[in-house]
């Protein structure tokens, strides 16, 4: 974003805001009532038995939490931007871990199941997503060119396709392909069916992204190329796409990330990918949270990898132009 | 011997490289060109002027068929331009065009901009295309900018690169559509100087411009357009000193003020 060179006072450093914030936070902590949690235990020397501490105990706990919260904010506000971002990230992560930890997880159970989740689940998830991403990208390039062409057939087919596949829920497409095609005499396995549905659905979204990207290149680029005697394919390949790709990358990265997680829908067809294993591995031992949280962390890690790759590519293209 | 040679030369100089006969063009219901007759001979320099919206751009864009005309005939080097033609790319390779806003390829360096046409279209080897590009950049006096990207250059430099890019295709004719209109005033002259040099080297040129000093110095003929028609055309002296039509007089009054 474009940062102004004039710095305004931080809201946090204005007394009115600070007091308002404190009161609000206090009210929230009071309403949520943390007396019977770890925090109540910590204050036992002050409030006595937390369960019997009543209104005073509840207020004291809320007050202490509020002071910690606001002091934390104030402390962060005095650091540099990069440090602020790091601290807030770490704190949020710790809160999330505390949330996960509060489920009384059995780590040994997770440890015993993780090899299968990774070797089978993660592998299948990546496998399905990667193939779908490649096919969807090819569809998107063809679809976008068709949509921009003067050919009536190409335009009609392409716009019908994007309309249909953006218009149906992905889960429904998945069932239509998996259950519908066999009735017409085409047997499809679950994994190919999932790949087909994901490719077609995301191909439709990405067609629109690619079309918009190509259209955002000024008409003058086409004219200058034509004036030099370039043919259509050459213009597209050498002049238009290289300029459109940096524009296309951020929204396409988003699509890849979304697709990675939508591959979990394949679990309803019984494909042994991450989501399927997360739901089934913990079932017999009633250890659902263990497996669900493990899958969550794996999906998240995968997404972060994609985000980093996307940032790298964006940076590379920024340097070039 | 000498005589026949000059005769042949005269002959080729007499046959028009570009000819428009009875050309009409519409944008929807709006007629942008009416009944245009124009012939341009080899090595001739034509300046087209006229009020904004009079169809100057449309006219020169019809010559390399960036725009389609609906009636009449346009011939370039004897080849007729029409919508079913197979070899428009061949014709376009022989016609250089310089645009008001340069239209350089921003993702390519100056050198790559100049090599693109010869290398990709004419199939000339990279090394040779590079040599040619450097020679042309020297001609427009910016060889030292070869490895920069277009947006690192000033407007005047960009326009000179655009001229060099066209020249690398070794065109027979150069079209200029208000090449100095988008430039800051102090950069106009560097582009005009380049164009004057090009004119002196014998290039056939059609320039849409309001730079009347340039027109006076370089043009063999000035074509004045209004409302999609050619109102009059004449030598610079006649055009400036003895305009025939009222519209021309009004236009000259405004522009020479
Ligand atoms: N693509 C177009 N669609 C519709 N009208 C156009 C288009 N291009 C130009 N015109 C119209 O045609 C007329 C001539 O335009 P142009 O040739 O650009 O004029 P000039 O270059 O002399 O200023 C103008 O009235 C303009 O509005
Ligand atoms: Mg114009």
């Amino acid at each position: 974003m474009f940062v102004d060179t004039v710095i305004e006072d931080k809201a946090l450093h204005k007394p009115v805001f600070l007091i308002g914030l404190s009161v609000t936070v206090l009210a929230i902590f009071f309403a949520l009532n943390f007396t019977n949690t770890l925090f109540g235990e910590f204050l036992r020397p002050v409030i006595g038995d937390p369960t019997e501490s009543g209104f005073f105990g509840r207020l004291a706990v809320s007050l202490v939490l509020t002071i910690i919260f606001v002091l934390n904010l104030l402390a962060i506000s005095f650091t540099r931007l990069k440090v602020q971002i790091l601290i807030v990230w770490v704190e949020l992560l710790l809160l999330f871990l505390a949330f996960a930890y509060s489920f009384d997880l059995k780590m040994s159970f997770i440890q015993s199941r993780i090899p299968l989740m990774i070797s089978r689940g993660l592998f299948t998830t990546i496998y399905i997503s990667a193939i779908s991403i490649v096919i969807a990208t090819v569809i998107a390039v063809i679809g976008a060119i068709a949509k921009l062409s003067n050919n009536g057939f190409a335009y009609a087919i392409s716009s019908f396709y994007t309309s249909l596949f953006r218009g149906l829920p992905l889960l429904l497409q998945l069932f239509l392909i998996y259950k519908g095609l066999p009735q017409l005499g085409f047997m499809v396995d679950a994994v190919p069916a999932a790949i087909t549905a994901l490719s077609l659905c995301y191909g439709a979204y990405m067609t629109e992204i690619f079309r918009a990207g190509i259209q955002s290149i000024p008409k003058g680029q086409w004219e200058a190329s034509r004036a030099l005697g370039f043919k259509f394919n050459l213009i597209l390949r050498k002049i238009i796409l290289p300029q459109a790709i940096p524009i296309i990358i951020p929204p396409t990265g988003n699509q890849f990330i979304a697709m990675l997680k939508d591959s979990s829908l394949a679990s309803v067809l019984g494909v042994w990918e991450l989501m399927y294993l997360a739901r089934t591995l913990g079932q017999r031992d009633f250890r659902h949270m263990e497996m669900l949280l493990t899958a969550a962390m794996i999906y998240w890690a995968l997404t972060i990898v994609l985000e980093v790759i996307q940032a790298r590519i964006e940076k590379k293209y920024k340097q070039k132009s | 011997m000498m005589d026949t040679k000059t005769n042949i030369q005269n002959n080729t100089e007499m046959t028009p490289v570009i000819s428009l006969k009875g050309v009409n063009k519409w944008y929807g219901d709006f007629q942008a060109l009416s009944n245009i007759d124009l012939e341009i001979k080899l090595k001739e320099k034509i300046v087209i002027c006229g009020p904004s919206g009079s169809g100057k751009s449309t006219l020169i864009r019809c010559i390399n068929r960036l725009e389609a005309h609906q009636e009449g005939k346009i011939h370039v080097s004897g080849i007729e331009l029409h919508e079913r033609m197979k070899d428009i790319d061949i014709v376009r390779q022989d016609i250089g065009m310089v645009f008001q806003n340069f239209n350089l390829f921003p993702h390519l360096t100056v050198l790559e901009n100049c090599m693109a046409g010869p290398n990709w279209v004419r199939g000339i080897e990279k090394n040779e295309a590079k040599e040619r590009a450097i020679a042309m950049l020297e001609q427009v006096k910016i060889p030292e900018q070869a490895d920069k990207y277009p947006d690192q250059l000033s407007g005047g430099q960009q326009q000179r690169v655009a001229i060099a890019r066209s020249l690398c295709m070794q065109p027979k004719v150069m079209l200029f559509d208000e090449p100095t209109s988008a430039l800051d005033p102090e950069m106009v002259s560097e582009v005009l100087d380049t164009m004057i040099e090009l004119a002196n080297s014998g290039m056939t040129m059609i320039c849409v411009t309001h730079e009347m000093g340039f027109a006076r110095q370089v043009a063999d003929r000035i074509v004045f357009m209004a409302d999609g028609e050619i109102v009059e055309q004449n030598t610079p002296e006649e055009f400036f000193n003895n305009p025939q039509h009222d519209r021309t007089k009004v236009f000259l009054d405004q522009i020479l003020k």
Side-chain angles (χ1 to χ4, degrees):
Chain A
M1 223 184 342
F2 188 75
V3 183
D4 201 343
T5 50
V6 177
I7 300 168
E8 288 181 32
D9 287 344
K10 287 181 180 166
L12 207 54
H13 296 177
K14 290 177 187 158
V16 181
F17 181 83
L18 205 56
I19 291 167
L21 180 75
S22 307
V23 172
T24 314
V25 172
L26 181 67
I28 291 171
F29 281 142
F30 190 80
L32 291 176
N33 190 8
F34 288 97
T35 324
N36 295 325
T37 65
L38 217 55
F39 304 112
E41 281 306 315
F42 278 131
L43 286 182
R44 188 181 277 272
V46 187
I47 60 174
D49 185 356
T51 47
E52 317 227 309
S53 62
F55 177 82
F56 167 71
R58 191 167 168 180
L59 187 63
V61 171
S62 312
L63 209 56
V64 170
L65 284 177
T66 303
I67 289 169
I68 294 173
F69 182 84
V70 172
L71 283 182
N72 177 43
L73 281 192
L74 272 176
I76 294 172
S77 77
F78 283 108
T79 59
R80 284 183 301 121
L81 183 69
K82 285 230 165 109
V83 182
Q84 280 177 6
I85 293 169
L86 188 71
I87 296 178
V88 175
W89 249 91
V90 170
E91 286 185 353
L92 289 175
L93 188 64
L94 288 177
L95 277 179
F96 178 77
L97 290 178
F99 168 76
Y101 188 72
S102 68
F103 288 106
D104 184 25
L105 302 178
K106 197 169 162 197
M107 286 301 163
S108 60
F109 187 81
I110 293 180
Q111 267 165 22
S112 68
R113 300 299 192 277
I114 246 186
L116 182 62
M117 269 199 132
I118 288 182
S119 67
R120 192 67 199 267
L122 177 63
F123 176 77
T124 311
T125 291
I126 291 180
Y127 168 75
I128 290 177
S129 307
I131 295 183
S132 304
I133 280 171
V134 172
I135 300 176
T137 307
V138 173
I139 292 177
V141 173
I142 297 171
I145 293 170
K147 263 204 158 174
L148 294 171
S149 79
N150 295 327
N151 186 315
F153 288 106
Y155 181 85
I157 292 170
S158 176
S159 53
F160 183 84
Y161 158 68
T162 50
S163 174
L164 181 67
F165 281 86
R166 292 203 302 172
L168 305 185
L170 180 51
L171 190 56
L172 182 57
Q173 293 175 31
L174 203 58
F175 278 125
L176 284 178
I177 290 168
Y178 188 59
K179 308 260 189 216
L181 287 185
Q183 292 200 8
L184 300 176
F186 302 100
M187 292 311 291
V188 270
D189 286 335
V191 170
I195 289 176
T196 309
L198 281 170
S199 305
L200 287 173
C201 181
Y202 277 89
Y205 285 113
M206 283 163 56
T207 293
E208 287 302 306
I209 293 173
F210 280 40
R211 178 194 58 74
I214 290 172
Q215 269 186 325
S216 70
I217 305 305
K219 202 171 98 220
Q221 293 291 305
W222 289 93
E223 290 182 343
S225 316
R226 290 227 170 92
L228 286 167
F230 288 25
K231 287 192 197 302
F232 177 83
N233 284 341
L234 186 69
I235 303 179
L236 201 63
R237 204 157 43 82
K238 295 282 200 178
I239 306 298
I240 304 301
L241 283 182
Q243 294 182 63
I245 283 171
I247 300 168
I248 289 171
I249 284 173
T252 303
N254 252 345
Q255 294 294 308
F256 286 177
I257 288 170
M259 181 197 276
L260 178 76
K261 283 162 302 169
D262 272 354
S263 70
S264 60
L265 289 174
S267 64
V268 300
L269 305 185
V271 176
W272 277 38
E273 44 70 75
L274 262 180
M275 189 63 213
Y276 182 82
L277 294 179
R279 280 196 310 156
T280 50
L281 285 183
Q283 230 156 25
R284 207 192 47 198
D285 304 271
F286 293 104
R287 287 277 166 201
H288 293 291
M289 273 328 271
E290 275 82 352
M291 290 296 97
L292 290 179
L293 281 171
T294 307
M297 297 316 280
I298 296 177
Y299 274 118
W300 191 11
L302 272 179
T303 304
I304 290 175
V305 170
L306 281 184
E307 279 171 350
V308 169
I309 294 174
Q310 182 183 349
R312 283 265 168 90
I313 298 177
E314 273 180 42
K315 204 170 159 192
K316 196 179 129 203
Y317 273 101
K318 239 187 219 134
Q319 280 168 349
K320 241 182 146 182
S321 57
Chain B
M1 186 69 188
M2 273 311 283
D3 266 343
T4 43
K5 199 177 175 189
T6 30
N7 263 342
I8 291 168
Q9 250 178 11
N10 275 343
N11 255 338
T12 48
E13 279 181 24
M14 292 312 291
T15 40
V17 232
I18 290 166
S19 89
L20 295 89
K21 285 208 188 73
V23 171
N24 286 306
K25 167 163 185 66
W26 289 265
Y27 290 112
D29 290 337
F30 176 79
Q31 186 160 12
L33 295 178
S34 326
N35 217 6
I36 300 288
D37 289 312
L38 189 64
E39 290 198 340
I40 293 129
K41 297 187 221 61
L42 203 62
K43 301 200 170 180
E44 235 191 328
K45 289 102 183 97
I46 307 283
V47 162
I48 302 176
C49 60
S52 172
S54 57
K56 309 178 296 292
S57 297
T58 307
L59 173 61
I60 68 164
R61 289 159 62 84
C62 280
I63 292 174
N64 63 356
R65 216 178 155 79
L66 286 183
E67 298 287 352
H69 60 286
Q70 281 92 34
E71 284 178 5
K73 287 192 189 306
I74 301 179
H75 284 88
V76 176
S77 306
I79 301 172
E80 190 187 342
L81 307 187
H82 57 91
E83 61 185 10
R84 299 227 146 257
M85 62 190 307
K86 297 271 181 277
D87 39 11
I88 184 64
D89 306 313
I90 311 281
V91 176
R92 282 176 179 158
Q93 288 172 34
D94 281 341
I95 308 175
M97 183 157 199
V98 175
F99 300 86
Q100 184 173 344
N101 45 6
F102 330 134
N103 290 340
L104 292 174
F105 305 132
H107 60 302
L108 302 178
T109 64
V110 165
L111 191 65
E112 288 165 342
N113 265 277
C114 293
M115 289 166 59
N119 189 215
W120 297 341
V121 180
R122 288 221 199 263
I124 290 169
E125 233 189 287
K126 262 216 161 115
N127 282 335
E128 199 188 329
K130 187 172 172 181
E131 269 174 35
R132 189 188 284 184
I134 290 171
M136 290 307 155
L137 288 172
E138 270 163 8
Q139 187 176 330
V140 301
K141 305 202 173 60
I142 33 177
E144 71 281 0
Q145 312 286 359
D147 293 323
K148 289 197 181 161
Y149 284 91
D151 61 6
Q152 295 172 298
L153 305 185
S154 72
Q157 289 172 326
Q158 288 190 50
Q159 194 60 296
R160 285 186 285 148
V161 172
I163 294 173
R165 177 176 69 176
S166 290
L167 291 179
C168 282
M169 292 296 280
Q170 299 181 329
K172 292 201 180 81
V173 183
M174 286 284 289
L175 309 176
F176 292 85
D177 191 359
E178 305 207 26
T180 57
S181 298
L183 298 177
D184 289 336
E186 77 271 19
M187 290 169 188
V188 170
S189 66
E190 66 187 61
V191 171
L192 290 180
D193 287 346
T194 308
M195 291 169 66
I196 290 167
E197 235 171 75
L198 189 60
N200 291 339
S201 76
M203 178 61 76
T204 311
M205 292 165 66
I206 306 174
C207 312
V208 174
T209 182
H210 291 148
E211 296 294 334
M212 288 303 135
F214 170 82
R216 222 186 267 272
Q217 186 179 346
V218 165
D220 297 312
R221 221 180 339 148
I222 298 181
V223 174
F224 176 71
M225 290 184 72
D227 295 332
E229 294 179 60
I230 294 181
V231 176
E232 70 172 281
Q233 42 180 317
N234 226 325
T235 58
E237 283 105 273
E238 284 296 303
F239 182 78
F240 288 114
N241 302 333
N242 192 13
Q244 301 296 306
H245 288 258
D246 287 345
R247 298 208 56 166
T248 319
K249 289 173 192 160
V250 173
F251 176 76
L252 284 175
D253 273 350
Q254 281 170 348
I255 207 153
L256 295 176
K257 226 181 261 172

